């Protein structure tokens, strides 16, 4: 895929079958193991579409190419065939793989990070909650970009006709993902905005458009993390385009968002660590 990035397709066994993943590593000038973050990057697509190869159009690619990180991108089960909790289960298996194979992958187990865009951002937040509550992996840093967190309408997701994501798509995607939820009351691991306890979660950074559907839930997530004593910040850009950095990377605000994201990542590499038990 790139003269700078080594790409390997791996398959891991899970309790539900086998899962394909992409492993991205720098070809040359790799950092020492103790300075190499391991990042689980989760693709978007409303929980219903998408694939691991979207990582090549995401913010994660530059973290490998420019900064020497190791990235794993899972092909988690999509909601059309397997609704919640399938995607979360698969992402958790990928996270465990990253932790248990840290030495083999050449990454620092004290700097396991999670990120993703849109539904991948929602799964990032859900995975941080799940790993915290189950005590399985201590995540050092989270990057849930313009995350899909709330199955309920917010002021920005209600009657929003923006492209490429709008209210109608949002309702349909949540209905498909949560179709097995008992009495219409989903778990906080399905819709992290429903959680009332954000304490002891990893430090976080995100960005979002000011008029896109997920604006309100993104800001609320950051505010509630901060209220729980978690270091968290968000940057807001003047656009209604969801995933503007991926769909229009040539725009000025996209370039600004990308530069700011990488700046915050580099800060995290220097300051955020989490020992594994």
């Amino acid at each position: 895929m790139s003269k700078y990035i080594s790409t390997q397709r791996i398959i891991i066994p899970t309790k539900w079958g086998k899962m394909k993943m992409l492993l991205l590593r720098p070809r040359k000038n790799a950092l020492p193991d103790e300075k190499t973050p391991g990042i689980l990057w989760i693709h978007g697509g409303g929980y219903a579409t998408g694939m691991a190869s979207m990582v090549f159009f995401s913010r994660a690619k530059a973290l490998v190419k420019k900064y020497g990180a190791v990235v794993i991108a899972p092909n988690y089960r999509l909601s059309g065939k397997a609704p919640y909790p399938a995607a979360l289960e698969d992402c958790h298996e990928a996270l465990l793989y990253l932790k248990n194979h840290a030495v083999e992958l050449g990454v620092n187990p004290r700097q396991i990070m999670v990120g993703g865009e849109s539904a991948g951002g929602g799964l990032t937040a859900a995975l941080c909650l799940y790993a915290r509550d189950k005590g399985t992996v201590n995540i050092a840093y989270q990057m849930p970009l313009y995350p899909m967190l709330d199955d309920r309408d917010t002021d920005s997701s209600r009657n929003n006709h923006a492209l490429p994501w709008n209210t109608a798509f949002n309702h349909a995607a949540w209905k498909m993902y949560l179709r097995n939820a008992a009495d219409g009351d989903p778990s906080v691991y399905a819709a992290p905005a429903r959680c009332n306890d954000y304490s002891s979660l990893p430090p976080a950074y995100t960005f979002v458009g000011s008029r896109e559907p997920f604006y309100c839930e993104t800001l609320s997530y950051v505010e509630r993390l901060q209220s729980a004593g978690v270091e968290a910040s968000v940057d807001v850009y003047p656009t209604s385009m969801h995933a503007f950095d991926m769909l229009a990377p040539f725009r000025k605000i996209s370039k600004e968002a990308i530069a700011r994201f990488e700046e915050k990542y580099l800060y995290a590499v220097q300051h955020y660590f989490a020992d594994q038990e």
Side-chain angles (χ1 to χ4, degrees):
M1 288 292 180
S2 167
K3 65 179 181 179
Y4 302 105
I5 297 175
S6 171
T7 305
Q8 181 181 354
R9 289 170 172 82
I10 56 179
I11 300 175
I12 65 170
T14 70
K15 297 177 182 177
W16 310 275
K18 296 179 179 180
M19 179 171 58
K20 298 178 181 179
M21 305 193 299
L22 290 176
L23 171 64
L24 279 60
R25 290 191 275 197
R27 286 189 184 274
K28 297 180 180 180
N29 301 322
L31 299 169
D33 293 1
E34 67 273 12
K35 293 188 177 180
T36 302
I39 304 170
L40 180 69
W41 195 265
I42 309 171
H43 72 77
Y47 301 105
T49 65
M51 62 199 77
S53 59
M54 289 169 62
V55 71
F56 295 110
F57 304 97
S58 75
R59 301 280 59 79
K61 180 181 177 181
L63 304 186
V64 182
K65 179 179 177 180
K66 296 171 65 174
Y67 305 114
V70 171
V71 168
I72 285 180
N75 252 328
Y76 60 85
R77 287 171 289 171
L78 301 176
S79 60
K81 293 185 177 179
Y84 173 83
L88 179 63
E89 291 171 339
D90 289 349
C91 290
H92 186 248
E93 288 293 322
L95 183 66
L96 289 172
Y97 180 90
L98 181 55
K99 172 188 173 181
N100 294 334
H101 293 79
V103 174
E104 173 188 335
L105 296 171
V107 306
N108 184 355
R110 299 181 65 224
Q111 284 205 303
I112 291 176
M113 303 178 178
V114 181
E117 63 279 336
S118 194
L123 284 165
T124 294
L127 196 56
C128 288
L129 288 169
Y130 190 82
R132 177 200 66 180
D133 294 347
K134 302 301 180 182
T136 54
V137 182
N138 291 327
I139 299 169
Y141 185 57
Q142 57 170 313
M143 300 166 278
L145 305 184
Y146 32 86
M148 184 176 176
L149 300 166
D150 202 338
D151 63 300
R152 304 158 298 187
D153 281 343
T154 68
D155 288 344
S156 61
S157 67
R158 183 184 300 109
N159 298 321
N160 191 311
H161 305 290
L163 293 175
W165 197 255
N166 57 38
T167 301
F169 292 155
N170 204 42
H171 287 171
W174 277 114
K175 183 177 181 180
M176 184 176 294
Y177 186 54
L178 301 178
R179 63 182 181 270
N180 287 349
D183 301 322
D185 187 17
S187 164
V188 298
Y189 306 131
R194 290 179 174 266
C195 182
N196 293 318
D197 179 14
Y198 290 144
S199 63
S200 301
L201 288 178
Y205 173 71
T206 183
F207 62 85
V208 68
S210 60
R211 301 186 303 279
E212 77 133 278
F214 298 154
Y215 168 76
C216 286
E217 57 208 77
T218 300
L219 265 61
S220 176
Y221 183 60
V222 170
E223 290 169 357
R224 294 172 71 188
L225 284 170
Q226 292 171 340
S227 295
V230 176
E231 291 185 56
S233 61
V234 57
D235 285 313
V236 178
Y237 296 91
T239 182
S240 62
M241 181 183 290
H242 182 62
F244 63 93
D245 63 306
M246 295 178 69
L247 298 177
F250 51 85
R251 295 180 64 190
K252 180 180 178 181
I253 60 169
S254 297
K255 293 178 180 178
E256 291 175 356
I258 291 167
R260 178 66 169 163
F261 169 81
E262 292 179 8
E263 175 187 323
K264 298 293 286 189
Y265 166 77
L266 291 175
Y267 179 90
V269 170
Q270 294 296 322
H271 293 86
Y272 300 136
F273 301 88
D275 292 327
Q276 301 303 324
E277 297 177 359

Short mmCIF file of all heavy atoms in Angstrom, two decimals, residues 12 16 19 40 42 74 86-98 127 130-132 134-137:
data_model
loop_
_atom_site.label_atom_id
_atom_site.label_comp_id
_atom_site.label_asym_id
_atom_site.label_seq_id
_atom_site.Cartn_x
_atom_site.Cartn_y
_atom_site.Cartn_z
N ILE A 12 -7.58 -13.79 13.49
CA ILE A 12 -7.52 -14.28 14.86
C ILE A 12 -8.78 -15.08 15.18
O ILE A 12 -9.86 -14.77 14.68
CB ILE A 12 -7.33 -13.15 15.88
CG1 ILE A 12 -8.55 -12.21 15.89
CG2 ILE A 12 -6.05 -12.37 15.60
CD1 ILE A 12 -8.54 -11.20 17.04
N TRP A 16 -16.71 -16.47 18.43
CA TRP A 16 -17.80 -16.48 17.47
C TRP A 16 -17.34 -16.88 16.09
O TRP A 16 -18.10 -16.82 15.13
CB TRP A 16 -18.44 -15.08 17.43
CG TRP A 16 -18.74 -14.61 18.81
CD1 TRP A 16 -19.86 -14.89 19.55
CD2 TRP A 16 -17.89 -13.84 19.65
NE1 TRP A 16 -19.75 -14.34 20.79
CE2 TRP A 16 -18.56 -13.68 20.89
CE3 TRP A 16 -16.64 -13.25 19.50
CZ2 TRP A 16 -18.01 -12.98 21.96
CZ3 TRP A 16 -16.10 -12.54 20.57
CH2 TRP A 16 -16.78 -12.41 21.77
N MET A 19 -11.86 -13.61 12.89
CA MET A 19 -11.95 -12.21 12.50
C MET A 19 -10.69 -11.79 11.76
O MET A 19 -9.58 -12.07 12.21
CB MET A 19 -12.16 -11.32 13.73
CG MET A 19 -12.25 -9.83 13.39
SD MET A 19 -12.74 -8.79 14.79
CE MET A 19 -11.44 -9.16 15.97
N LEU A 40 -5.46 0.63 18.39
CA LEU A 40 -6.58 -0.05 17.77
C LEU A 40 -7.42 1.03 17.09
O LEU A 40 -7.93 1.92 17.77
CB LEU A 40 -7.41 -0.80 18.81
CG LEU A 40 -8.62 -1.55 18.26
CD1 LEU A 40 -8.18 -2.74 17.42
CD2 LEU A 40 -9.55 -2.01 19.37
N ILE A 42 -10.74 1.86 14.75
CA ILE A 42 -12.03 1.24 14.44
C ILE A 42 -12.74 2.06 13.37
O ILE A 42 -12.99 3.26 13.55
CB ILE A 42 -12.89 1.14 15.71
CG1 ILE A 42 -12.10 0.48 16.86
CG2 ILE A 42 -14.15 0.36 15.42
CD1 ILE A 42 -12.80 0.54 18.20
N PRO A 74 -9.64 -3.76 12.94
CA PRO A 74 -10.43 -4.99 12.84
C PRO A 74 -11.59 -4.90 11.85
O PRO A 74 -12.21 -3.85 11.69
CB PRO A 74 -10.97 -5.14 14.27
CG PRO A 74 -11.11 -3.73 14.76
CD PRO A 74 -10.00 -2.95 14.11
N ALA A 86 -22.25 -7.59 18.86
CA ALA A 86 -21.23 -8.23 18.03
C ALA A 86 -20.03 -7.33 17.75
O ALA A 86 -18.88 -7.75 17.91
CB ALA A 86 -21.86 -8.69 16.72
N ALA A 87 -20.28 -6.10 17.33
CA ALA A 87 -19.18 -5.20 16.99
C ALA A 87 -18.29 -4.93 18.20
O ALA A 87 -17.05 -4.94 18.09
CB ALA A 87 -19.72 -3.89 16.43
N LEU A 88 -18.90 -4.71 19.34
CA LEU A 88 -18.13 -4.45 20.56
C LEU A 88 -17.32 -5.68 20.96
O LEU A 88 -16.15 -5.57 21.35
CB LEU A 88 -19.05 -4.03 21.70
CG LEU A 88 -18.37 -3.77 23.04
CD1 LEU A 88 -17.40 -2.60 22.93
CD2 LEU A 88 -19.39 -3.52 24.14
N GLU A 89 -17.93 -6.85 20.86
CA GLU A 89 -17.21 -8.08 21.19
C GLU A 89 -15.98 -8.25 20.30
O GLU A 89 -14.89 -8.60 20.78
CB GLU A 89 -18.15 -9.28 21.03
CG GLU A 89 -19.27 -9.33 22.06
CD GLU A 89 -20.29 -10.39 21.75
OE1 GLU A 89 -20.39 -10.83 20.58
OE2 GLU A 89 -21.02 -10.80 22.67
N ASP A 90 -16.15 -8.00 19.01
CA ASP A 90 -15.03 -8.15 18.08
C ASP A 90 -13.93 -7.15 18.37
O ASP A 90 -12.74 -7.49 18.35
CB ASP A 90 -15.51 -7.99 16.64
CG ASP A 90 -16.35 -9.16 16.16
OD1 ASP A 90 -16.40 -10.19 16.86
OD2 ASP A 90 -16.97 -9.05 15.08
N CYS A 91 -14.31 -5.91 18.63
CA CYS A 91 -13.31 -4.88 18.93
C CYS A 91 -12.58 -5.19 20.24
O CYS A 91 -11.38 -4.94 20.36
CB CYS A 91 -13.96 -3.50 18.98
SG CYS A 91 -14.52 -2.92 17.37
N HIS A 92 -13.28 -5.77 21.19
CA HIS A 92 -12.64 -6.14 22.44
C HIS A 92 -11.65 -7.28 22.20
O HIS A 92 -10.56 -7.29 22.80
CB HIS A 92 -13.68 -6.54 23.48
CG HIS A 92 -13.10 -6.79 24.83
ND1 HIS A 92 -13.07 -8.04 25.42
CD2 HIS A 92 -12.50 -5.95 25.72
CE1 HIS A 92 -12.49 -7.96 26.59
NE2 HIS A 92 -12.13 -6.70 26.81
N GLU A 93 -11.99 -8.22 21.35
CA GLU A 93 -11.05 -9.30 21.02
C GLU A 93 -9.80 -8.72 20.35
O GLU A 93 -8.67 -9.17 20.63
CB GLU A 93 -11.72 -10.31 20.09
CG GLU A 93 -12.77 -11.18 20.76
CD GLU A 93 -12.17 -12.14 21.79
OE1 GLU A 93 -11.07 -12.66 21.55
OE2 GLU A 93 -12.81 -12.34 22.84
N ALA A 94 -9.98 -7.75 19.48
CA ALA A 94 -8.84 -7.11 18.83
C ALA A 94 -7.98 -6.36 19.84
O ALA A 94 -6.75 -6.36 19.76
CB ALA A 94 -9.33 -6.16 17.74
N LEU A 95 -8.64 -5.72 20.80
CA LEU A 95 -7.91 -5.00 21.85
C LEU A 95 -7.11 -5.97 22.71
O LEU A 95 -5.95 -5.70 23.06
CB LEU A 95 -8.90 -4.22 22.72
CG LEU A 95 -8.31 -3.35 23.82
CD1 LEU A 95 -7.50 -2.20 23.23
CD2 LEU A 95 -9.41 -2.80 24.73
N LEU A 96 -7.69 -7.11 23.05
CA LEU A 96 -6.97 -8.13 23.81
C LEU A 96 -5.78 -8.66 23.02
O LEU A 96 -4.71 -8.91 23.59
CB LEU A 96 -7.91 -9.28 24.19
CG LEU A 96 -8.96 -8.97 25.25
CD1 LEU A 96 -9.93 -10.14 25.37
CD2 LEU A 96 -8.31 -8.70 26.60
N TYR A 97 -5.97 -8.82 21.72
CA TYR A 97 -4.86 -9.28 20.88
C TYR A 97 -3.71 -8.28 20.92
O TYR A 97 -2.54 -8.65 21.05
CB TYR A 97 -5.35 -9.46 19.44
CG TYR A 97 -4.27 -9.92 18.49
CD1 TYR A 97 -4.05 -11.28 18.28
CD2 TYR A 97 -3.47 -9.00 17.80
CE1 TYR A 97 -3.05 -11.72 17.42
CE2 TYR A 97 -2.47 -9.43 16.95
CZ TYR A 97 -2.27 -10.78 16.75
OH TYR A 97 -1.27 -11.20 15.91
N LEU A 98 -4.04 -7.01 20.84
CA LEU A 98 -3.01 -5.97 20.89
C LEU A 98 -2.27 -6.00 22.22
O LEU A 98 -1.03 -5.90 22.26
CB LEU A 98 -3.67 -4.61 20.67
CG LEU A 98 -2.77 -3.37 20.67
CD1 LEU A 98 -1.64 -3.51 19.67
CD2 LEU A 98 -3.60 -2.12 20.37
N LEU A 127 -15.78 0.79 24.06
CA LEU A 127 -14.68 -0.11 24.41
C LEU A 127 -13.94 0.38 25.65
O LEU A 127 -13.53 -0.43 26.50
CB LEU A 127 -13.73 -0.25 23.23
CG LEU A 127 -12.74 -1.40 23.23
CD1 LEU A 127 -13.45 -2.74 23.38
CD2 LEU A 127 -11.92 -1.37 21.95
N TYR A 130 -16.17 -0.55 28.51
CA TYR A 130 -16.20 -2.00 28.70
C TYR A 130 -14.90 -2.51 29.31
O TYR A 130 -14.91 -3.30 30.27
CB TYR A 130 -16.46 -2.67 27.35
CG TYR A 130 -16.74 -4.14 27.43
CD1 TYR A 130 -18.02 -4.61 27.74
CD2 TYR A 130 -15.75 -5.09 27.19
CE1 TYR A 130 -18.30 -5.96 27.80
CE2 TYR A 130 -16.01 -6.43 27.25
CZ TYR A 130 -17.28 -6.88 27.56
OH TYR A 130 -17.54 -8.23 27.63
N ALA A 131 -13.77 -2.05 28.78
CA ALA A 131 -12.47 -2.49 29.30
C ALA A 131 -12.27 -2.02 30.73
O ALA A 131 -11.69 -2.75 31.55
CB ALA A 131 -11.35 -1.97 28.40
N ARG A 132 -12.74 -0.81 31.04
CA ARG A 132 -12.65 -0.32 32.41
C ARG A 132 -13.46 -1.20 33.36
O ARG A 132 -12.97 -1.62 34.41
CB ARG A 132 -13.16 1.12 32.49
CG ARG A 132 -13.17 1.73 33.89
CD ARG A 132 -14.12 2.91 34.00
NE ARG A 132 -15.52 2.52 33.84
CZ ARG A 132 -16.54 3.39 33.90
NH1 ARG A 132 -16.31 4.68 34.07
NH2 ARG A 132 -17.79 2.96 33.76
N LYS A 134 -14.68 -4.27 32.96
CA LYS A 134 -14.28 -5.69 32.99
C LYS A 134 -12.86 -5.88 33.48
O LYS A 134 -12.45 -6.99 33.81
CB LYS A 134 -14.43 -6.31 31.60
CG LYS A 134 -15.84 -6.23 31.02
CD LYS A 134 -16.87 -6.91 31.89
CE LYS A 134 -18.26 -6.82 31.28
NZ LYS A 134 -19.30 -7.44 32.13
N GLY A 135 -12.09 -4.79 33.53
CA GLY A 135 -10.71 -4.86 34.01
C GLY A 135 -9.79 -5.64 33.10
O GLY A 135 -8.85 -6.28 33.57
N THR A 136 -10.03 -5.57 31.79
CA THR A 136 -9.26 -6.40 30.85
C THR A 136 -8.03 -5.70 30.28
O THR A 136 -6.97 -6.30 30.17
CB THR A 136 -10.16 -6.85 29.70
OG1 THR A 136 -10.78 -5.69 29.11
CG2 THR A 136 -11.23 -7.81 30.18
N VAL A 137 -8.18 -4.46 29.87
CA VAL A 137 -7.08 -3.71 29.26
C VAL A 137 -7.12 -2.28 29.79
O VAL A 137 -8.18 -1.66 29.84
CB VAL A 137 -7.19 -3.68 27.72
CG1 VAL A 137 -6.01 -2.92 27.12
CG2 VAL A 137 -7.28 -5.09 27.15
#
